[in-house]
């Protein structure tokens, strides 16, 4: 509205605080200039869709309940930041340092996660040090079924087995808090996954439930994960990441394209913490939005043709 647009609300869209908006009517407003979708990407836009010049995709993200993204391609690993290298290496170094000492330090101290209000992150005291940490995803999440492809838990097992083979350290696996489903009443499924992975080696320990991820990251040597938002929490702790699935932060990780290449990845001679800090700052402060002012900035960037 501040940019002169008439903003209309689709009948199927529910969002507290927007009830006052005029309703979209395809008989009157089709085609329109811009359509904003929640938790979607361009691959969903098939069939009988709204005719539009441009699409924006909204998605809540890490590290708390306030941060979100708005992108022309999609969200997470299927977004413009994955395909078009952002100018994160040109951010102000002093601003990065201040960001790490203030906001990031506060998030770490409070062990902030995006799950605030959904459940209490249980405190698990990790009785190991200097281990390889593997962070799990939900097997049905689009970031591993469509933004990546192939059986996710098969890949996870292959990573664990290869890590055990090429490195002498313990392998700790933290499964996603919703592995059994968001409204699960038992842990039968995740227990089966734990048994399967721990059979790989005595060096493998699998943790399930809704425990806080910060406790696991803090004592890890390196973190291995696919397209998980937890990658930003890893960056907060300054830990190196080995990733597959080509997440949006692959610019500052070891981009694992072949399982056989894990033997080089574990040496960590590739890790550049300063570069990783710059990306964390750029993503959370320049790409994401988290209040009205930063939302207005992001909309203005998109309207002016910036990714």
């Amino acid at each position: 509205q501040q940019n002169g647009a008439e903003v209309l609300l689709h009948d199927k869209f529910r969002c507290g605080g927007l009830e006052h908006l005029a309703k979209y009517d395809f008989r009157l407003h089709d085609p329109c200039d811009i359509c904003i979708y929640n938790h979607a990407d361009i691959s969903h836009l098939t069939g009988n869709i709204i005719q539009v010049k441009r699409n924006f995709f909204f998605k809540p993200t890490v590290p708390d309940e306030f941060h979100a993204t708005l992108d022309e391609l999609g969200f997470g690993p299927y977004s413009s930041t994955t395909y078009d290298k952002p100018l994160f290496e040109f951010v102000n170094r002093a601003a990065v340092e201040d960001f790490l000492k203030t906001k990031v330090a506060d998030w770490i101290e409070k062990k902030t996660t995006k799950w605030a209000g959904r459940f209490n992150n249980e405190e698990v005291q990790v009785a190991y040090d200097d281990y390889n940490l593997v962070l799990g995803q939900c097997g049905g999440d689009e970031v591993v079924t469509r933004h990546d492809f192939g059986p996710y838990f098969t890949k996870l097992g292959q990573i664990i087995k290869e890590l055990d083979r090429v490195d002498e350290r313990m392998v700790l696996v933290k499964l996603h808090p919703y592995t059994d489903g968001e409204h699960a009443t038992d842990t039968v499924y995740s227990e089966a996954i734990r048994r399967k992975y721990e059979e790989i080696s005595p060096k493998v320990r699998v943790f399930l439930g809704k425990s806080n991820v910060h406790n696991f990251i803090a004592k890890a040597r390196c973190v291995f994960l696919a397209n998980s938002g937890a990658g930003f929490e890893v960056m907060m702790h300054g830990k190196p990441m080995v990733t597959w699935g080509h997440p949006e932060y692959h610019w500052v990780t070891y981009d694992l394209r072949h399982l056989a290449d894990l033997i080089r990845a574990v040496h960590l001679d590739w890790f550049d913490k300063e570069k990783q800090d710059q990306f964390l700052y750029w993503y959370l402060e320049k790409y994401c939005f988290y209040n009205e002012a930063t939302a207005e900035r992001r909309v203005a960037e998109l309207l002016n043709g910036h990714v």
Side-chain angles (χ1 to χ4, degrees), residues 19-299:
E19 298 85 355
H20 66 284
L21 290 177
K23 296 296 187 289
Y24 168 82
D25 185 336
F26 77 93
R27 295 168 298 182
L28 302 174
H29 307 119
D30 192 16
C32 59
D33 295 302
I34 296 171
C35 186
I36 300 178
Y37 292 90
N38 179 40
H39 202 158
D41 59 58
I42 59 170
S43 71
H44 292 103
L45 305 186
T46 60
N48 186 25
I49 62 170
I50 295 173
Q51 299 303 306
V52 64
K53 295 178 182 177
R54 300 176 69 186
N55 295 294
F56 297 162
F57 300 95
F58 167 82
K59 176 68 168 61
T61 187
V62 294
D64 52 28
E65 65 269 40
F66 303 110
H67 280 69
T69 60
L70 194 66
D71 195 88
E72 285 194 285
L73 189 61
F75 67 93
Y78 193 46
S79 65
S80 61
T81 59
T82 300
Y83 290 91
D84 303 315
K85 185 177 181 178
L87 300 176
F88 65 90
E89 293 168 288
F90 296 92
V91 297
N92 183 281
R93 301 291 179 89
V96 174
E97 287 301 315
D98 182 68
F99 172 69
L100 295 173
K101 292 176 182 177
T102 55
K103 288 189 176 182
V104 173
D106 186 59
W107 287 326
I108 290 176
E109 182 182 1
K110 295 176 179 176
K111 299 179 180 178
T112 304
T113 71
K114 69 177 184 179
W115 306 112
R118 300 194 200 180
F119 55 78
N120 294 320
N121 280 199
E122 302 160 357
E123 290 291 328
V124 171
Q125 299 306 317
V126 184
Y128 305 96
D129 289 289
D130 197 41
Y131 46 81
N132 291 314
L133 175 63
V134 180
L135 294 178
Q137 288 284 119
C138 288
D141 194 314
E142 283 194 318
V143 297
V144 293
T145 61
R146 299 182 68 255
H147 298 169
D148 193 16
F149 48 92
Y152 172 70
F153 286 112
T154 298
K155 290 184 180 181
L156 202 64
Q158 289 176 301
I159 292 288
I160 295 166
K161 189 173 182 178
E162 187 69 1
L163 264 178
D164 176 66
R165 188 183 74 85
V166 302
D167 196 81
E168 74 281 358
R169 294 172 182 82
M170 292 286 296
V171 179
L172 269 60
V173 182
K174 184 191 182 302
L175 297 181
H176 193 278
Y178 286 161
T179 300
D180 293 292
E182 184 175 354
H183 305 292
T185 56
D186 60 56
T187 58
V188 173
Y189 184 65
S190 57
E191 289 283 2
I193 293 173
R194 170 157 59 185
R195 288 193 299 271
K196 180 179 180 179
Y197 290 162
E198 290 191 345
E199 286 174 358
I200 292 173
S201 167
K203 288 160 41 187
V204 177
R205 295 287 184 275
V206 180
F207 295 80
L208 45 108
K210 296 180 173 65
S211 49
N212 193 294
V213 71
H214 286 278
N215 290 9
F216 290 87
I217 297 170
K219 299 173 72 175
R221 174 179 182 264
C222 183
V223 183
F224 301 77
L225 66 163
N227 296 327
S228 173
F232 295 99
E233 289 152 343
V234 175
M235 288 185 232
M236 291 180 199
H237 288 267
K239 302 290 183 173
M241 278 186 287
V242 176
T243 61
W244 69 99
H246 216 57
E248 64 268 48
Y249 45 81
H250 69 87
W251 308 104
V252 293
T253 74
Y254 194 98
D255 188 15
L256 188 69
R257 303 182 185 186
H258 309 97
L259 189 62
D261 202 36
L262 205 55
I263 195 166
R264 291 196 302 172
V266 295
H267 293 310
L268 305 190
D269 52 352
W270 48 267
F271 180 52
D272 187 335
K273 184 180 181 300
E274 181 179 4
K275 189 175 177 181
Q276 182 173 276
D277 290 342
Q278 290 175 304
F279 185 88
L280 178 66
Y281 170 81
W282 173 85
Y283 188 90
L284 294 180
E285 289 292 298
K286 302 299 181 182
Y287 174 67
C288 290
F289 61 92
Y290 48 85
N291 57 24
E292 188 172 351
T294 54
E296 291 170 1
R297 179 209 67 205
R298 182 58 180 152
V299 170

